[in-house]
Amino acid sequence: MDIFSMDDLKRLVEGKEGPCVSIFMPAHRTDAEQSRIRFKNLCGKAEKMVAAMETDDLDVDEAMKPARRLLEDQDFWQHQSDGLALFMSDQVFETYRLPITFEEVVVVTGRFHIKPLLPFVSSDTRFYILAASQSRVRLFRGTRQTIREMEPEGMPKNLSEALKYDDPEKQLQFHTGTGGSGGKRSAVFHGHGLGADDAKDRILRYFREIDRSLSPVMRNENSPLVLAGVDYLLPIYQETNSYPHLLEQCISGNPDEMGEKELHDKAWDLIEPLIKKAQTDAAARYHDFVGTGKTSKDLKDIIAAAVGGRVAVLFVAKGVQQWGRFDPERGTVEFHRVPEPGAEDLLNLAAVQTLRKGGEVYVVGQEKVPENAAATALFRY
């Protein structure tokens, strides 16, 4: 797979059975054999680590079969990106070819090692784009990397379909006038046999039909919704909107003339500053609570709080590992200087548990971690 999203990440952090093998490596777009040889060497290392776990009834050869089959897939190795990530367990075998370079890492523990991917998805906020005109309506779901058109049940294709039971002789023409409060251009309506109030009423009813069709899709969402449309229709839609996370900023212009990529790029220009602000605000909240018992830079405290669902925000230093073991029965943590069989990166453990319990995780340069620690956490209570 060449796309990795926050949804993929959350699926990987769910509980798995048996040893979980995680392999990260740099890849070569033009040298398939070098990538394949590197992967073969890392698989050999992973096999030894799986065997060292000494899990009852574990067939090491059987566990490594999917990786060996991948080694023989010539087409796979001919189509690489800058980095390769692989996740393998009894229940999972997934590969991701991604445009970022990974350091070589092999981890075999009871959960997947996902920390190298966190910088890739920490800004991967999901958002929606509603591209609406009189002649066409489209809804897209996007992330930083992706955009996909959706087809909500009951959404009208255009104004005519939404108002198909109205008088077919009534026709509307619109043009953009000037003026209006706040420097916004106001709508001027021309209707054959209609007044301006009647014309606007038809548009309102059209947009209410759109809003109604969005409700089942957006009911449990808190993702931003970006509206794309010509200037004079935008305030009318905002008047009918019932979704609480509609952005005030819009994509201005005729959306019928914009393809998916242009809509995605313009929407991301509005979404990215929100993500950066959220991270800045989270760091400010951490500093506000220092000394109150609601923050910590002690990794033992952070892991215990993450497992207990108390971590609201976790900051982790990019490129830093802290190897060790966590005993969930006793709630104890031991630290290792180097990776050992069965050991894991405890920063990864803190991140996994925080994500599983609905917290936020930011992977940043250590200089941007509050108090310049390997990890810091803001607790819910």
Side-chain angles (χ1 to χ4, degrees):
M1 302 176 74
D2 302 314
I3 294 172
F4 189 83
S5 69
M6 184 61 78
D7 289 339
D8 295 317
L9 186 73
K10 289 179 178 178
R11 188 176 67 254
L12 287 172
V13 303
E14 291 304 315
K16 309 297 176 188
E17 293 182 3
C20 293
V21 177
S22 307
I23 296 176
F24 295 86
M25 55 171 267
H28 298 270
R29 293 175 183 266
T30 58
D31 193 337
E33 187 60 17
Q34 185 174 346
S35 295
R36 198 182 72 83
I37 291 172
R38 184 189 294 268
F39 181 72
K40 181 178 180 180
N41 293 335
L42 294 176
C43 282
K45 185 176 180 180
E47 184 170 354
K48 292 179 181 178
M49 295 171 72
V50 171
M53 292 189 73
E54 300 180 351
T55 304
D56 293 341
D57 301 324
L58 174 64
D59 186 330
V60 176
D61 288 337
E62 189 68 24
M64 295 303 296
K65 270 186 179 179
R68 294 197 188 99
R69 284 196 294 267
L70 188 65
L71 274 170
E72 305 306 317
D73 187 342
Q74 297 297 327
D75 183 68
F76 176 84
W77 296 107
Q78 290 291 339
H79 299 88
Q80 290 298 306
S81 187
D82 298 315
L84 174 65
L86 175 142
F87 302 96
M88 181 172 62
S89 71
D90 285 348
Q91 303 168 340
V92 174
F93 184 79
E94 295 186 11
T95 61
Y96 297 91
R97 293 167 285 191
L98 301 172
I100 50 177
T101 300
F102 299 115
E103 294 182 6
E104 284 191 4
V105 176
V106 180
V107 180
V108 180
T109 65
R111 61 179 61 83
F112 288 123
H113 183 73
I114 50 86
K115 189 158 68 69
L117 288 167
L118 287 173
F120 196 65
V121 298
S122 60
S123 62
D124 198 33
T125 296
R126 184 162 66 187
F127 59 91
Y128 291 84
I129 305 169
L130 179 64
S133 72
Q134 299 173 66
S135 58
R136 190 181 185 190
V137 184
R138 290 175 292 168
L139 178 69
F140 300 92
R141 182 167 63 191
T143 68
R144 177 66 187 94
Q145 309 167 63
T146 67
I147 183 171
R148 181 173 69 86
E149 186 168 0
M150 305 181 69
E151 297 181 358
E153 185 176 351
M155 175 176 280
K157 293 182 172 61
N158 49 46
L159 183 146
S160 297
E161 181 181 289
L163 305 182
K164 59 188 174 184
Y165 298 112
D166 282 15
D167 184 351
E169 297 300 319
K170 296 177 180 178
Q171 301 174 20
L172 295 175
Q173 297 174 347
F174 305 94
H175 73 262
T176 303
T178 57
S181 61
K184 295 182 179 179
R185 291 181 292 180
S186 58
V188 177
F189 301 88
H190 295 285
H192 298 290
L194 289 173
D197 290 342
D198 292 328
K200 181 179 179 181
D201 180 67
R202 284 167 58 86
I203 295 295
L204 285 170
R205 284 185 284 132
Y206 170 42
F207 283 159
R208 286 192 187 103
E209 287 297 315
I210 296 174
D211 180 72
R212 189 177 298 114
S213 68
L214 291 181
S215 292
V217 178
M218 313 295 280
R219 182 176 295 118
N220 297 317
E221 284 282 350
N222 57 8
S223 305
L225 173 63
V226 181
L227 183 61
V230 291
D231 287 352
Y232 59 79
L233 293 181
L234 298 178
I236 303 176
Y237 184 82
Q238 290 168 336
E239 185 177 337
T240 66
N241 170 67
S242 63
Y243 182 63
H245 305 290
L246 177 69
L247 288 193
E248 183 178 348
Q249 303 94 329
C250 302
I251 299 172
S252 179
N254 185 353
D256 297 347
E257 297 175 357
M258 300 180 195
E260 289 187 2
K261 184 179 186 307
E262 183 177 0
L263 286 167
H264 181 267
D265 291 346
K266 288 179 179 292
W268 184 251
D269 286 342
L270 301 177
I271 297 296
E272 187 174 25
L274 301 180
I275 296 171
K276 292 180 178 179
K277 183 177 184 302
Q279 180 177 319
T280 300
D281 291 347
R285 280 188 292 148
Y286 179 93
H287 289 295
D288 288 343
F289 284 99
V290 169
T292 67
K294 290 189 66 175
T295 67
S296 180
K297 59 180 179 179
D298 185 303
L299 189 51
K300 288 184 178 180
D301 291 342
I302 291 172
I303 290 174
V307 171
R310 292 176 50 223
V311 175
V313 180
L314 176 70
F315 288 90
V316 176
K318 183 178 180 181
V320 176
Q321 287 86 36
Q322 175 56 70
W323 300 100
R325 284 193 178 92
F326 170 68
D327 185 336
E329 297 294 329
R330 295 184 295 172
T332 58
V333 177
E334 62 181 54
F335 297 100
H336 300 165
R337 291 184 178 180
V338 295
E340 298 178 7
E344 63 181 312
D345 181 356
L346 296 173
L347 299 177
N348 179 79
L349 170 61
V352 167
Q353 293 296 331
T354 298
L355 288 170
R356 290 188 68 187
K357 304 298 173 57
E360 302 172 24
V361 178
Y362 296 99
V363 178
V364 295
Q366 187 160 358
E367 72 283 357
K368 293 185 178 180
V369 177
E371 304 194 72
N372 197 35
T376 55
L378 172 64
F379 301 146
R380 291 188 170 102
Y381 52 90

